[in-house]
Amino acid sequence: MMTPALLSAALLLLLLPGAPAENSNQTPISIHVSNSVTNAPIQTYSTYVVYRGILLGAMRRLQASNVGFSFTYTEDPNYGPFLESVNGLAGCSADRTYWELLVNRANETIRPDVGIGCYIPCANETIVLNFNKY
Ligand code: B12
């Protein structure tokens, strides 16, 4: 049984602003668009995923906000969405180019083993969409 003092403390915690990110349902992330083929300047965007939301959701939201970010994808029958183009530049099998998905977190860069439809970003991660060769 909770004492009245404990009960009011618990209620106060629930009402306090700045509740944990999980409750606010917006996990902030950055998206960087880079190009390892031409070394064009990196373009930087801010957006968010909802709690445990997929990267594709954040990319759709960013595109809809008209800040100059656009992308297209194709649907692979086995693996889902394959990122085809970003900001008007498309990967091309004849040139062996594609959009690589990288993630900068803390002091490391990882190359996720899933695509944009499966990757679930963590708070404050930088997602790097990098035009590259294979
Ligand atoms: C070759 C290959 C690639 C090539 C494909 C281009 C080409 N023309 O060869 C390139 C380098 C582009 C590539 C990229 C990526 N790949 Co890849 N790739 C493979 C690999 C080694 C062989 C695929 C293949 O040729 N199969 C034989 C052909 C006949 O079958 P297919 O159905 O036509 O193959 C197509 C699909 O596999 C598709 N494809 C390849 N990779 C991916 C990834 C995703 C997310 C999707 C939707 C489709 C897709 O491209 C192939 C050619 O058209 C497989 C592993 C394996 N051994 O199967 C991984 C694999 C499919 N790739 C994988 C991943 C994660 C990626 C990347 C997300 C890596 C990254 N972090 O950037 C990116 C995709 C980013 C994007 N743009 O959306 C994972 C997918 C797992 C999953 N459940 O999502 C696999 C299984 C490897 C792994 N890590 O386990 N990949």
Side-chain angles (χ1 to χ4, degrees), residues 76 79-83 98-101 111-115 134:
D76 181 271
Y79 300 115
F82 182 84
L83 183 60
Y98 77 111
W99 283 97
E100 179 182 33
L101 172 60
R111 189 174 183 270
D113 63 359
V114 291
Y134 58 86

Side-chain angles (χ1 to χ4, degrees), residues 27-30 49 52-53 103 105 119-127:
T27 301
I29 60 167
S30 298
V49 284
R52 298 286 292 160
V103 176
R105 60 162 80 122
Y119 186 70
I120 298 176
C122 296
N124 304 313
E125 273 183 359
T126 298
I127 307 297

Side-chain angles (χ1 to χ4, degrees), residues 74-134:
T74 54
E75 197 68 49
D76 181 271
N78 297 300
Y79 300 115
F82 182 84
L83 183 60
E84 180 184 51
S85 78
V86 178
N87 293 348
L89 176 63
C92 166
S93 51
D95 298 339
R96 298 181 65 82
T97 55
Y98 77 111
W99 283 97
E100 179 182 33
L101 172 60
L102 300 170
V103 176
N104 290 340
R105 60 162 80 122
N107 289 323
E108 56 168 0
T109 299
I110 62 152
R111 189 174 183 270
D113 63 359
V114 291
I116 55 172
C118 291
Y119 186 70
I120 298 176
C122 296
N124 304 313
E125 273 183 359
T126 298
I127 307 297
V128 183
L129 306 177
N130 181 44
F131 194 69
N132 209 347
K133 289 209 152 210
Y134 58 86

